[in-house]
């Protein structure tokens, strides 16, 4: 009887935003769900901490823009259930050279998907956002639905909702062994459990759990610098000034995107970050700064100096975050190739937070063997040839 008592419909490993939304959807389906997290909550070791993330429909790929429709609905639903604001619409301003192919593709996708947007010339940008300085030939594309998600509040709201729906959240309980089978056995540092289904959403720790199960995904774990820059006049880049989130495409000779959110988290400071980082094992996240970290900050300093003249061009605060990237920066949402009651959500590549309501729904549907309404071809692990299946 003791074993039966600890039999779950589903266990979800990893209580970041993807695991939380997966557990939330499973609990909404009336499933007996256990959410396991190796660290004590809240923590800042993974990819879901911090106060803010950008939400947007602007993507080059139609499938993400389509998924965002339902994401906005589920975010609004969670907001209503929690009775707290989780989202603020600010607009998202894409900045790039007029001929930038990615900017053109995003504009075409927004048009095709019927998303309200506006193209802004250099002159129009200057009038509307006088504290953005643009070089000749740089233009803007405004996704009016863009804005800020309050990340830490969203995680708290989800964890509360899971508990209210009858789900169980165990933090400070690291998984040490997974035994596949018709019932999956999951052993943690303190206890053993059995479940009909297992969902792994372990971020940078995904491959540590998958290697003993015979596969290794092509995941690169990166340490990202999250930088905050002091306003010369407090509030000048704030939400009160109707300043939008922005995404810079190929500006200031930066090889990767640069993004920013209006000042709010820290009074008088604006978050401006480089959408790339340096190889790091998750346990090394807090190790001393590498030389390449300094190069990333130099790229940002140059961007701030050139384009945001009302910010001081040295970061006032620098925090860290982990990205877990796939080679094509699209997610992996799939079943284990040998054990179809083990589902994997991984490789969110620094842009998964906003999409987590639908990612969690898809992982829940895969786990429950339900038909999903989305084409999962872009997210299948079979797109990567030569996965380490030596043990399968």
């Amino acid at each position: 009887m003791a074993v039966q008592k600890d039999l779950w419909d589903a266990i979800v490993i990893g209580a970041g935003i993807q695991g939380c939304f997966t557990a939330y959807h499973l609990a909404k389906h009336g499933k007996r769900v256990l959410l396991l997290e190796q660290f004590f909550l809240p923590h800042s070791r993974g990819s879901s901490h911090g106060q803010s993330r950008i939400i947007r429909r602007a993507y080059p790929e139609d499938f993400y823009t389509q998924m965002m429709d339902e994401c906005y609905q589920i975010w609004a639903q969670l907001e209503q259930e929690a009775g707290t604001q989780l989202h603020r619409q600010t607009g998202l301003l894409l900045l790039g050279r007029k001929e930038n192919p990615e900017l053109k593709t995003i504009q075409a996708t927004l048009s095709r998907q019927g998303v309200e947007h506006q193209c802004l010339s250099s002159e129009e940008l200057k009038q509307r956002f006088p504290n953005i300085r643009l070089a000749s030939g740089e233009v803007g594309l405004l996704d009016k639905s863009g804005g800020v998600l309050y990340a830490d509040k969203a995680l708290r709201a989800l964890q509360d909702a899971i508990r209210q729906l009858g789900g169980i959240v165990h933090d400070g309980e690291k998984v040490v062994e997974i035994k596949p089978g018709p019932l999956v056995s999951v052993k943690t540092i303190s206890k053993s459990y059995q479940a009909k289904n297992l969902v792994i959403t372990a971020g940078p720790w995904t491959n540590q759990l998958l290697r003993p199960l015979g596969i290794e995904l092509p995941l690169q774990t990166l340490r990202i610098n999250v930088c905050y820059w002091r306003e010369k006049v407090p509030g000048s880049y704030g939400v009160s000034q109707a300043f939008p989130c922005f995404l810079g495409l190929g500006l200031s000779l930066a090889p990767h995107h640069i993004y920013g959110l209006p000042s709010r988290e820290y009074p008088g400071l604006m978050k401006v970050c480089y959408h790339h980082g340096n190889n790091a094992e998750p346990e090394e996240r807090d190790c001393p700064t590498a030389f390449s970290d300094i190069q990333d900050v130099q790229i940002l300093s140059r961007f701030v100096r050139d384009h945001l003249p009302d910010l001081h061009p040295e970061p006032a605060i620098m925090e860290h975050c982990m990205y877990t990237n796939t080679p094509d920066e699209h997610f992996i949402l799939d079943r284990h190739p040998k054990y179809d009651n083990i589902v994997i959500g991984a490789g969110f590549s620094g842009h998964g937070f906003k999409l987590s309501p639908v990612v969690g729904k898809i992982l829940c549907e895969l786990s429950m063997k339900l038909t999903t309404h989305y084409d999962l071809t872009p997210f299948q692990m079979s797109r990567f040839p030569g996965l380490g299946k030596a043990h399968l």
Side-chain angles (χ1 to χ4, degrees), residues 195-316:
K196 296 171 191 171
N197 293 284
L198 175 67
V199 183
I200 297 173
T201 50
W205 292 271
T206 298
N207 274 329
Q208 289 179 24
L209 295 173
L210 290 180
R211 275 184 210 113
L213 301 176
I215 58 171
E216 181 155 0
L217 298 176
L219 300 175
Q220 182 186 27
T221 55
L222 300 175
R223 179 172 75 166
I224 307 297
N225 298 311
V226 181
C227 298
Y228 296 84
W229 310 74
R230 192 169 303 286
E231 295 169 309
K232 292 175 182 174
V233 177
S236 51
Y237 289 101
V239 283
S240 59
Q241 296 297 310
F243 196 79
C245 297
F246 74 82
L247 190 58
L249 311 177
L251 300 180
S252 291
L253 304 174
H256 300 276
H257 295 166
I258 290 171
Y259 66 91
L261 295 87
S263 61
R264 181 187 166 99
E265 291 177 51
Y266 297 112
L269 299 181
M270 184 183 183
K271 183 176 177 176
V272 181
C273 305
Y274 190 45
H275 189 62
H276 197 64
N278 302 288
N279 288 326
E281 289 302 312
E283 274 75 23
E284 297 170 5
R285 203 204 72 138
D286 298 318
C287 289
T289 301
F291 173 67
S292 40
D293 279 343
I294 297 161
Q295 286 182 310
D296 290 353
V297 174
Q298 286 172 344
I299 289 169
L300 283 173
S301 291
R302 189 167 64 225
F303 175 87
V304 166
R305 189 193 64 219
D306 293 349
H307 290 89
L308 302 169
D310 294 339
L311 294 179
H312 291 284
E314 313 81 30

Side-chain angles (χ1 to χ4, degrees), residues 50-113:
Q51 292 182 39
S52 61
R53 296 291 187 282
I54 290 175
I55 186 169
R56 59 186 161 110
R57 283 188 168 90
Y59 263 99
E61 300 85 5
D62 289 84
F63 55 84
Y64 287 128
T65 302
Q66 288 162 357
M67 287 165 80
M68 281 310 302
D69 273 347
E70 191 177 4
C71 287
Y72 274 97
Q73 291 167 27
I74 298 172
W75 280 119
Q77 176 189 311
L78 179 65
E79 213 168 33
Q80 204 170 6
E81 290 169 4
T84 185
Q85 187 185 3
L86 302 176
H87 161 247
R88 184 172 187 137
Q89 189 172 345
T90 62
L92 171 81
L93 182 63
L94 295 130
L95 298 167
R97 295 195 62 77
K98 200 173 184 176
E99 65 277 7
N100 182 290
E102 190 178 3
L103 193 62
K104 286 179 169 178
T105 305
I106 292 170
Q107 189 190 338
T109 303
L110 292 177
S111 298
R112 220 172 15 251
Q113 299 298 329

Side-chain angles (χ1 to χ4, degrees), residues 19-70:
C20 282
F21 258 119
T22 304
Y24 169 81
H25 286 294
L26 285 161
K28 284 231 161 192
H29 278 278
K31 297 297 173 189
R32 189 160 185 261
V33 61
L34 171 65
L35 177 59
L36 293 173
E37 169 54 51
Q38 64 175 322
F39 301 114
F40 288 102
L41 295 168
H43 71 82
S44 60
R45 300 291 301 275
S47 310
S48 294
H49 62 281
Q51 292 182 39
S52 61
R53 296 291 187 282
I54 290 175
I55 186 169
R56 59 186 161 110
R57 283 188 168 90
Y59 263 99
E61 300 85 5
D62 289 84
F63 55 84
Y64 287 128
T65 302
Q66 288 162 357
M67 287 165 80
M68 281 310 302
D69 273 347
E70 191 177 4

Side-chain angles (χ1 to χ4, degrees), residues 15-17 19-21 23-25 27-28 33 35 41-42 78-84 86 151-171:
I17 195 67
C20 282
F21 258 119
Y24 169 81
H25 286 294
K28 284 231 161 192
V33 61
L35 177 59
L41 295 168
L78 179 65
E79 213 168 33
Q80 204 170 6
E81 290 169 4
T84 185
L86 302 176
D152 52 352
K153 282 188 183 177
L155 272 175
R156 259 199 316 274
L158 269 175
Q159 288 155 10
D160 290 346
I162 291 162
R163 293 184 185 104
Q164 283 164 12
L165 291 161
I168 303 292
V169 181
H170 282 186
D171 60 352

